[in-house]
Amino acid sequence: EAGVAQSPRYKIIEKRQSVAFWCNPISGHATLYWYQQILGQGPKLLIQFQNNGVVDDSQLPKDRFSAERLKGVDSTLKIQPAKLEDSAVYLCASSRGWKDTQYFGPGTRLTVL
Amino acid sequence: QQQVKQSPQSLIVQKGGISIINCAYENTAFDYFPWYQQFPGKGPALLIAIRPDVSEKKEGRFTISFNKSAKQFSLHIMDSQPGDSATYFCAASNFNKFYFGSGTKLNVKP
């Protein structure tokens, strides 16, 4: 079974630029999560999808972050415009259902200069 | 407000020794407590998990001890090996929300 795929693996941008991350969850997994992991900290949930609907986006900075999950499969997370404090690893995870084990992708390391 | 507090921040253990990582929580509504292992450049991977109706769960060399009254749980790694060197995160979940601890970087010396 293929794992959670993410791209790109690394991204370096200037502040105020835009960036987008892509995630392809494990086939058949209805629940998809985006986490932000700042260096030296644990992952922080940004948004959770159940199929193509948003379950929780309470910690998503909606003035600059947006996410979508078209057709309940792939998902994209966008930051526009980026700030220095957005430098982090962005992790995507998926699970069969919202109570099931989460499987994480390798993450995208974002550096904002 | 940090929902899950994890300690220590880093840990050095000799090969064959016991590694112990502790976590504490406040929200009594949490009903699922997983531990994740993360290697550099990789995403976290589920190691072992426990629900509050049991006090201990063991899988191979990994054991979770859970103290509901104290609102604490810990990970014990027996016979620690250099391959166990990684960052470990505890987490707590209520319904669909997962809260992670700040992580413990474990270094097992050969």
Side-chain angles (χ1 to χ4, degrees), chain A residues 9 37 48 56 99 102 105, chain B residues 31 38 41 89 96-98:
Chain A
R9 292 296 314 276
Q37 186 176 21
Q48 178 187 347
D56 182 7
K99 270 296 200 182
Q102 295 184 36
Chain B
D31 62 356
Q38 186 175 29
F89 294 95
N96 57 295
K97 288 202 171 190
F98 277 76

Side-chain angles (χ1 to χ4, degrees), chain A residues 35-100:
Chain A
Y35 289 87
Q36 179 191 58
Q37 186 176 21
I38 293 173
L39 186 65
Q41 297 181 21
K44 183 183 87 170
L45 180 67
L46 293 176
I47 189 168
Q48 178 187 347
F49 292 93
Q50 182 70 19
N51 296 307
N52 61 349
V54 175
V55 174
D56 182 7
D57 63 357
S58 58
Q59 298 195 92
L60 186 74
K62 299 181 186 64
D63 57 334
R64 297 184 300 107
F65 286 64
S66 64
E68 60 181 8
R69 189 182 185 195
L70 298 176
K71 300 179 182 179
V73 182
D74 293 4
S75 177
T76 55
L77 176 69
K78 296 179 182 178
I79 307 175
Q80 181 179 359
K83 293 185 175 181
L84 296 176
E85 58 261 36
D86 297 332
S87 293
V89 174
Y90 291 85
L91 294 163
C92 179
S94 70
S95 62
R96 288 195 182 279
W98 57 271
K99 270 296 200 182
D100 297 315

Side-chain angles (χ1 to χ4, degrees), chain B residues 30 43 85 93 106:
Chain B
F30 288 142
S85 296
S93 168
L106 172 64

